[in-house]
Amino acid sequence: MKITPFLDRRLSHRFSTYDTDQDGHVQRADFELACTRLTSAFGLDAGDERAQRLHEQLLGVWEHLAAMTDVNDDGQISLAEYKSAFVRGLLGRPEAFDDVYVPYLDALLAVADHDGDGRLGLEEHVRWSQAMMDVSEADARAVHARLDHDGDGLIGTEDLLAAWRGYYFSEDPDGPGAWLLGPLP
């Protein structure tokens, strides 16, 4: 896979959202911290079944990511390792990461869907985006509006999955995937 300048910017931005402690490397602890921040934002303690499921799914994402990217086996991923994995075909094709992302998104919605309707309203989306990926409130609101294709104020797993696919696979700078984490730096 060739990394275009646009994809390079998206990968750099996504890496920064993974690196929750901003130490320049992504580690298992970053995923654990993201889980704790998210579950705390929704008032769940570590013993809650939804928190445990999210923790399990996030660690699964970490294990998959580390297995594909941590070439020097030091337990952390550098930005160079992360980008290099994409050149080697980390994602392959859009459907290839569904096995990892669909269970993760289901676990995410189980936590962030505070009212239990199976979709995220604006405030739920803002809260999870801020807690987990440090997206500003204004950017999270703009992202929600872009993902709410039918204008009903709600986004679901399919909307999020399509946006994640677009983030990694689409070169459309105005597509919902390009805006998934707010505007690119």
Side-chain angles (χ1 to χ4, degrees), residues 4 10 12 16 64 70 74 82 89 93 98-99 102-103 107 110-112 120 127-129 143 148 161 171-172:
T4 65
R10 289 177 296 176
S12 293
S16 73
H64 176 75
D70 185 14
D74 64 355
Y82 184 66
R93 55 189 177 78
D98 287 8
D99 289 342
V102 170
V111 170
L120 297 177
R127 194 181 320 171
W128 90 263
S129 296
V143 168
D148 180 15
L161 183 60
E171 288 294 309
D172 181 0

Side-chain angles (χ1 to χ4, degrees), residues 145-164:
R146 284 180 174 264
L147 298 183
D148 180 15
H149 302 291
D150 61 7
D152 67 355
L154 301 168
I155 57 175
T157 302
E158 286 302 316
D159 298 314
L160 288 169
L161 183 60
W164 280 114

Side-chain angles (χ1 to χ4, degrees), residues 8 16 32 44 49 55 65 74 78 81 87 95 103-105 107 110 112 121 123 160 166 168 170 173-175 177 184:
D8 187 69
S16 73
E32 291 173 339
L44 303 179
E49 182 179 313
H55 187 259
L65 189 61
D74 64 355
S78 68
E81 286 175 317
V87 172
E95 298 78 20
Y104 157 69
L105 290 173
E123 297 309 317
L160 288 169
Y168 290 114
S170 175
D174 294 318
L184 293 172

